[in-house]
């Protein structure tokens, strides 16, 4: 973890807010996001309200490693998916057929869940400090463009969250959404967003 005192304070404050059911805005490994404890259903529902997003559109969850990933999906990660994740130079979110031990409103209607392993940087440190998955959805009102830089986040979103973490990345370093792939029940991998 980054040893800068301000960075550590930012992580500690964000964790405290989320452990108390709050919502944060934070720099992810892709675009700027809003997040919460992915096991807290009340907090997850609040994110849907903030984004004005239908709860039929599931949210992405971040984990810091495969060990935590395995605790929150049924079954194993197929070898073809593991190879793709290890060789990818871009953050990749995988939609697994069934999630578990997560907020019920985080799962899609069919029980599937989108999870991205984020090993380093602010989101990775945040997940490790939380000790559980963290919701990661773009910091925008549903239907509007994702905020690739901090200055693109609307005041409405910033006013609605309980804490804004700024130390994890240069506030205006551009970024883009993750690739999204889906694993079918048969173990096939389908690209949903490249």
């Amino acid at each position: 973890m980054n040893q800068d005192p301000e960075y550590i304070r930012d992580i500690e404050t964000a964790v405290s807010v989320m452990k108390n059911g709050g919502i944060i805005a934070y720099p992810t490994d892709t675009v700027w996001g809003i997040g919460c404890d992915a096991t807290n259903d009340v907090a997850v529902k609040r994110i849907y309200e903030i984004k004005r997003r239908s709860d039929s559109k599931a949210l992405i969850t971040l984990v810091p490693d495969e060990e935590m990933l395995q605790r929150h999906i049924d079954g194993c990660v197929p070898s073809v998916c593991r190879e793709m994740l290890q060789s990818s130079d871009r953050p990749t979110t995988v939609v697994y057929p069934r999630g578990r031990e997560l907020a019920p409103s985080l799962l899609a209607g069919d029980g599937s869940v989108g999870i991205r392993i984020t090993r380093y940087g602010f989101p990775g440190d945040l997940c490790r400090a939380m000790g559980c998955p963290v919701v990661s959805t773009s910091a925008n009102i549903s239907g509007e463009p994702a905020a690739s830089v901090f200055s693109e986040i609307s005041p409405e979103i910033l006013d609605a969250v309980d804490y804004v973490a700024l130390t994890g990345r240069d506030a205006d370093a551009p970024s883009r959404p993750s690739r999204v792939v889906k694993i079918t029940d048969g173990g096939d991998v389908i690209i949903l967003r490249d």
Side-chain angles (χ1 to χ4, degrees):
M1 181 181 326
N2 181 330
Q3 294 304 306
D4 176 67
E6 191 175 343
Y7 181 92
I8 292 170
R9 236 181 345 269
D10 220 4
I11 291 280
E12 290 172 348
T13 304
V15 166
S16 175
V17 167
M18 288 192 292
K19 285 192 178 285
N20 286 296
I23 310 297
I24 66 166
Y26 68 109
T28 75
D29 51 343
T30 59
V31 297
W32 277 83
I34 55 175
C36 67
D37 175 345
T39 66
N40 182 326
D41 204 46
V42 172
V44 172
K45 287 177 180 174
R46 189 168 155 222
I47 286 184
Y48 281 110
E49 291 169 10
I50 290 170
K51 286 182 64 77
R52 290 190 239 144
R53 181 173 177 161
S54 164
D55 63 7
S56 65
K57 294 179 80 177
L59 303 173
I60 290 172
T61 301
L62 299 180
V63 295
D65 51 43
E66 195 168 323
E67 181 182 342
M68 189 180 290
L69 170 67
Q70 286 295 165
R71 290 198 310 258
H72 295 282
I73 62 168
D74 279 342
C76 294
V77 178
S79 59
V80 65
C81 183
R82 184 176 284 117
E83 290 166 13
M84 182 186 64
L85 291 173
Q86 290 172 348
S87 66
S88 178
D89 60 348
R90 182 170 166 208
T92 302
T93 300
V94 179
V95 178
Y96 296 92
R98 277 166 295 289
R100 65 178 178 199
E101 296 179 36
L102 294 166
S105 55
L106 191 59
L107 306 177
D110 63 0
S112 64
V113 63
I115 300 178
R116 183 167 69 250
I117 296 175
T118 179
R119 292 185 171 90
Y120 51 85
F122 193 88
D125 290 340
L126 187 64
C127 290
R128 279 186 286 281
M130 275 295 287
C132 69
V134 173
V135 168
S136 177
T137 184
S138 55
N140 62 315
I141 301 298
S142 190
E144 294 180 359
S148 65
V149 294
F150 180 77
S151 58
E152 293 175 352
I153 303 173
S154 77
E156 183 178 353
I157 292 288
L158 293 174
D159 289 345
V161 301
D162 302 303
Y163 183 70
V164 178
L166 291 173
T167 63
R169 183 169 74 199
D170 177 354
D172 285 313
S175 54
R176 64 182 184 160
S178 68
R179 172 186 295 121
V180 180
V181 300
K182 181 174 185 170
I183 299 174
T184 67
D185 279 324
D188 294 322
V189 177
I190 300 167
I191 296 175
L192 300 179
R193 180 176 72 200
D194 198 15

